[in-house]
Amino acid sequence: MTGKPATTQTPQPVAHASAAIADVWRALGLVPDPEVPVVSIVELGIVRDVARHRDEIVVTVTPTYSGCPATAVIEADIRASVEAATGTPARVETVLAPPWSTDWIAPEARRKLLHAGIAPPGAAPATDAGAYARPIRFARPRDAVPCPNCGSLRTSELARFGSTACKAQYRCGDCLEPFDYFKPH
Amino acid sequence: MLVATDTRNAGGDAATRSILDPPGSMLLDYLLRFADNALVLAQRLGEWVGKGPVLEEDIASTNVGLDLLGQARLWFAYASEVDARNGQAGRTEDRFAYFRDSGDFRNLLLVEQPNGNYADTIARQFLFDQWHVLALGQLTLSRDTRIAAIAAKAIKEVRYHVERSSDWVIRLGDGTDVSHARMQSAVDALWMYTGEMFTVDATERMLIDAGIGADAAALQPHWRSAVDAVFDEATLVVPADTWMQGSRSRGGKQGIHTEHLSRLLAEMQILARSYPEARW
């Protein structure tokens, strides 16, 4: 509810990047997220940088949730796809800062989530120092989450956690369908 | 306090270390407090797998545990590097988790308490979450950039945890006669363990003075006002403080634990200790 735009956007391939680097970004754009396979890891905003260091390609990623069990699979998928696309050994580096935010999910990916029956996340909660200085007394009011099936706003939260750490379970009061909501994070 | 003579100082790259940096052994001790809180509570929450009161809560408890386990790994990874800088072998996260005994664990007594009924589990989670979010909030401002990065990552998850546990305290406290009675009795039983969250021992004093650690004592009024507000909504009575809540009390942060931790570790560690080279 009090979300503000993330200060860091998803890095995109820049014009002067070498052809090899552009190839890597293209290859990474085809690597699906293991748990939400309708979006790629680039669209999800977890690929932070691609660089060439001597004889290897270094792909820098940031985890979504600390305990996300897909992390190891994502690493293996990145190495395999980059090596297949470029013939160059790839290494994955993980950075924590700045922490991943759902605000980095690309607009196109939000449409894909919607089509897959997953309500895309609203604005992420504020993460400035001031936000952390305020004690949390009550749960904040729930976002009005439009139903991905019929668009109704008469939806309610069934459970704070869904099939994966990144989703909550909702139910639509009009079409009565249950659905996943990608939690703002 | 200045420590100019210890050449094994930690708290950043060699070039950025200053005479303000605490000895590496103290930094390690401090990191283990956060690592062990997360690990031990994750293990407790894992005990609910397959037997939560309802499916959604089974999943929720497991997910909170998973977040905490991930956070424990981030803390242990840094602890491992500090351990190596201290001239030790650089114990891996598995060595820290599986091959230390209870006296070497630095977690709060609160998080090692048994699951009990679901009100007990929720009360433990709520009292801890409200502290955890405040402590991590301070650590996001730590002069140690690695600590600040881990805290900034973890706090996003913990903010969600505290919302959920606050919701449940209100729901159970302001629920039926039975749920209210169980919630109140859970809070009454756990309250004495909350005191040590706000004690500052020599290790914490030094880390606070160095601009690295969170000032636990300063968190207390914020924690109390957040807890009071939720209890008020939940129609719960705040228990009276006990002898364990004095500023000089000692406990989990100094490695002095309740017997519950030993039993938890016995289960958590037996596979790794029986088959030290076991691989998935």
Side-chain angles (χ1 to χ4, degrees):
Chain A
M1 299 301 285
T2 53
K4 67 182 182 80
T7 50
T8 310
Q9 297 300 317
T10 301
Q12 295 297 318
V14 285
H16 65 261
S18 71
I21 297 293
D23 284 346
V24 174
W25 277 103
R26 253 192 305 279
L28 293 174
L30 298 173
V31 176
D33 177 81
E35 290 196 333
V36 191
V38 293
V39 297
S40 78
I41 57 171
V42 174
E43 291 172 318
L44 203 56
I46 64 175
V47 180
R48 307 310 299 162
D49 189 37
V50 173
R52 194 186 180 97
H53 291 317
R54 295 190 203 88
D55 296 329
E56 63 177 3
I57 304 279
V58 178
V59 179
T60 305
V61 300
T62 193
T64 51
Y65 284 77
S66 304
C68 179
T71 310
V73 178
I74 290 174
E75 257 196 60
D77 288 352
I78 288 176
R79 278 201 307 274
S81 78
V82 172
E83 284 167 11
T86 64
T88 310
R91 182 159 56 87
V92 176
E93 272 193 3
T94 303
V95 294
L96 291 181
W100 178 78
S101 163
T102 46
D103 288 347
W104 297 350
I105 297 179
E108 176 59 23
R110 289 169 189 269
R111 281 189 289 278
K112 289 179 184 172
L113 287 173
L114 200 56
H115 281 282
I118 301 168
T127 54
D128 56 288
Y132 296 146
R134 291 188 291 276
I136 297 170
R137 299 181 177 208
F138 301 107
R140 64 198 157 90
R142 300 286 183 268
D143 302 329
V145 180
C147 170
N149 302 303
C150 71
S152 167
L153 281 171
R154 279 209 322 128
T155 60
S156 55
E157 185 184 83
L158 282 177
R160 304 232 77 197
F161 290 88
S163 54
T164 64
C166 57
K167 292 188 255 133
Q169 284 179 54
Y170 273 66
R171 174 174 50 194
C172 177
D174 280 322
C175 73
L176 305 179
E177 289 291 327
F179 64 90
D180 274 340
Y181 174 45
F182 208 114
K183 303 180 321 203
H185 183 78
Chain B
M1 276 182 275
L2 304 183
V3 182
T5 51
D6 192 323
T7 56
R8 298 169 304 172
N9 284 352
D13 296 324
T16 63
R17 286 178 211 163
S18 75
I19 55 165
L20 279 173
D21 286 333
S25 58
M26 279 195 170
L27 178 61
L28 177 66
D29 188 293
Y30 192 70
L31 293 172
L32 289 178
R33 293 177 184 195
F34 282 85
D36 290 342
N37 279 338
L39 176 66
V40 169
L41 188 52
Q43 177 70 13
R44 278 286 182 233
L45 292 171
E47 292 171 11
W48 277 109
V49 174
K51 51 184 185 185
V54 289
L55 179 61
E56 289 80 1
E57 276 306 296
D58 197 300
I59 293 169
S61 278
T62 314
N63 271 294
V64 172
L66 194 59
D67 283 345
L68 291 170
L69 191 61
Q71 293 169 18
R73 295 188 63 181
L74 299 177
W75 291 117
F76 280 131
Y78 187 27
S80 180
E81 291 170 28
V82 173
D83 201 36
R85 289 210 296 256
N86 288 351
Q88 304 297 318
R91 285 168 284 181
T92 63
E93 58 187 275
D94 277 3
R95 295 299 304 183
F96 280 125
Y98 297 129
F99 295 92
R100 284 180 302 150
D101 292 329
S102 64
D104 299 324
F105 274 72
R106 292 290 178 265
N107 59 280
L108 296 165
L109 299 173
L110 178 65
V111 297
E112 71 198 34
Q113 297 310 303
N115 285 342
N117 62 39
Y118 213 63
D120 296 320
T121 289
I122 291 294
R124 181 186 64 200
Q125 192 70 38
F126 168 72
L127 297 169
F128 175 72
D129 286 347
Q130 289 285 5
W131 171 84
H132 203 198
V133 78
L134 291 169
L136 291 173
Q138 276 212 1
L139 290 184
T140 61
L141 307 172
S142 173
R143 195 168 62 80
D144 183 316
T145 53
R146 185 76 172 270
I147 288 179
I150 296 172
K153 180 77 200 156
I155 197 171
K156 297 184 71 165
E157 294 156 4
V158 172
R159 282 175 69 88
Y160 201 77
H161 300 173
V162 77
E163 284 183 11
R164 169 177 166 270
S165 57
S166 300
D167 270 358
W168 272 105
V169 168
I170 293 168
R171 208 158 151 183
L172 295 175
D174 192 24
T176 66
D177 289 346
V178 173
S179 74
H180 173 84
R182 287 192 178 178
M183 198 68 230
Q184 183 68 57
S185 110
V187 166
D188 290 347
L190 292 173
W191 190 254
M192 65 178 175
Y193 298 114
T194 62
E196 78 166 325
M197 299 195 288
F198 310 106
T199 58
V200 175
D201 63 3
T203 296
E204 291 198 12
R205 184 79 263 151
M206 185 161 283
L207 272 290
I208 294 164
D209 289 347
I212 293 171
D215 186 347
L219 303 178
Q220 214 269 345
H222 298 288
W223 179 85
R224 185 56 195 268
S225 92
V227 167
D228 280 356
V230 173
F231 279 6
D232 186 46
E233 180 87 354
T235 70
L236 295 170
V237 178
V238 179
D241 286 352
T242 72
W243 61 274
M244 281 183 69
Q245 289 165 295
S247 61
R248 291 174 178 279
S249 64
R250 291 161 59 78
K253 295 197 285 192
Q254 291 78 30
I256 304 164
H257 291 278
T258 60
E259 72 169 292
H260 304 298
L261 180 65
S262 299
R263 291 164 186 267
L264 177 148
L265 294 181
E267 182 171 322
M268 187 178 86
Q269 297 177 331
I270 188 168
L271 184 84
R273 291 193 180 206
S274 303
Y275 304 93
E277 302 300 323
R279 290 279 176 278
W280 285 107

